[in-house]
Amino acid sequence: MTQAPATPKAARRQHDREIIALAVPAFGALVAEPLFVMVDSAIVGHLGTAQLAGLGVASALLLTAVSVFVFLAYATTAAVARRVGAGDLQAAIRQGMDGIWLALLLGAAVVAVVLPTAPFLVELFGASDTAAPYAITYLRISALGIPAMLVVLAATGVLRGLQDTRTPLYVAIAGFIANAALNAGLVYGADLGIAGSAWGTVIAQCGMAAAYLVVVVRGAHKHGASLRPDAAGIRASAQAGVPLLVRTLSLRAILMIATAVAARLGDADIAAHQIILSLWSLLAFALDAIAIAGQAIIGRYLGAGDAEGARAACRRMVEWGIAAGVILGLLVVLARPLFLPLFTSDSAVQDTALPALLVVAISQPICGVVFVLDGVLMGAGDGPYLAWAMVVTLAVFTPVALLVPAVGGGLTAVWAAMTLMMAVRMLTLWLRTRSGRWIVTGATR
């Protein structure tokens, strides 16, 4: 006797359970990441202004270097999830190991570049003469942890592809606690100053990488997957990551252009912009959690050959993205009077930020759709289209943003340009998902 197909309502409930099970722990792990920098800043800040300024420059360089390689998580999630859907856990973990080996190789290359060029990079970022020595010290020591940071990205992708976002949450919490304790102990207890903060972060990151490797190696032994590096597999992982690297670099360029334009508007505008950008990033974490669920779920459906299941999951996640965007937008509107005084008492900065925050609030439903569809196409392994779409978005955004000072626009106009950027992304992603060309079933794309 064949089983009756699930009703639309039952199917929606199933998708909801899957999304919640993956997205909630993913959000917790995402929020834990910026807390590392916040803890370092709080501890180093008590050493002095020059030390804190040095940390700020070095952290910006490190975060830029690591964020460029976020494709290690995205591409690995999609590839592993496909093989999970196809029922081949051995191949799934083998694919994950290829991503981890690629992370180690890229990490070693970055360290080889950063160590000798640290003084030049610090100078390039405009560190003052008093802050530069501290920035160089922190950067050189922390660079030693970059391979571990990249392994964490790749291993996180492996576990997400295996439909496990709880383990990354637990590892992130443990890493945060260890980082805080090590920083306090080494900075003040061992009297190592800013070097102690850097060593504490390196040790915490290495511990997180080790924890992930234990989990992945156990899975490899359980399913008979080889742990040895495979040149063809590593090369395939790198090729899958190149389009996502282009996408990430284009997005970073958009954020840098927006900041540069805001800086030209005046001190109050750039101060308000930094406050809004920090809020925008926090909102992005919430929406990105749904996107991560999308990567894992869509990859699994396509790997199982279930094209209709992938379409249905995509539709439901878009509904989640819109609903989350509406809720976040309303929260921004309601919290504006409480949020701004947390960052500044300057009335000029607050007055500049208030109307721009309204634009951010209005744009959140658009952002919700963009993040979800981004995750869906990543889960489908549709990296080349994502790269092309982001380059087009950059081409549209750049002249509009650069015109803001010329036409006398203020910070609100900058964030209107950012909303236009998200609208262009939504259009390009919607056209792709509507076409159905992203739906390629099977264990590999």
Side-chain angles (χ1 to χ4, degrees), residues 94-186:
R94 176 63 260 179
Q95 179 72 41
M97 284 305 305
D98 292 335
I100 290 172
W101 280 112
L102 176 62
L104 283 170
L105 291 173
L106 291 173
V110 174
V111 171
V113 171
V114 171
L115 289 181
T117 61
F120 168 75
L121 294 172
V122 168
E123 183 181 355
L124 186 66
F125 264 58
S128 66
D129 291 339
T130 54
Y134 297 111
I136 294 169
T137 296
Y138 190 92
L139 181 58
R140 278 183 165 157
I141 296 172
S142 294
L144 300 176
I146 288 177
M149 294 180 194
L150 299 190
V151 166
V152 167
L153 284 177
T156 300
V158 176
L159 295 181
R160 288 173 181 170
L162 293 171
Q163 317 296 297
D164 176 11
T165 56
R166 289 184 178 272
T167 300
L169 173 61
Y170 300 148
V171 174
I173 293 172
F176 170 73
I177 295 171
N179 180 65
L182 286 165
N183 269 260
L186 294 174

Side-chain angles (χ1 to χ4, degrees), residues 48 213 259 394 420 439:
L213 289 175
T259 300
L394 174 61
L420 171 65
I439 300 177

Side-chain angles (χ1 to χ4, degrees), residues 348-393:
V349 175
Q350 292 186 16
D351 291 344
T352 301
L354 277 172
L357 276 174
L358 276 179
V359 176
V360 171
I362 292 169
S363 71
Q364 287 310 296
I366 298 174
C367 294
V369 175
V370 168
F371 274 83
V372 167
L373 294 183
D374 213 32
V376 166
L377 296 185
M378 283 184 190
D382 204 10
Y385 182 85
L386 288 171
W388 174 86
M390 190 58 81
V391 170
V392 169
T393 303

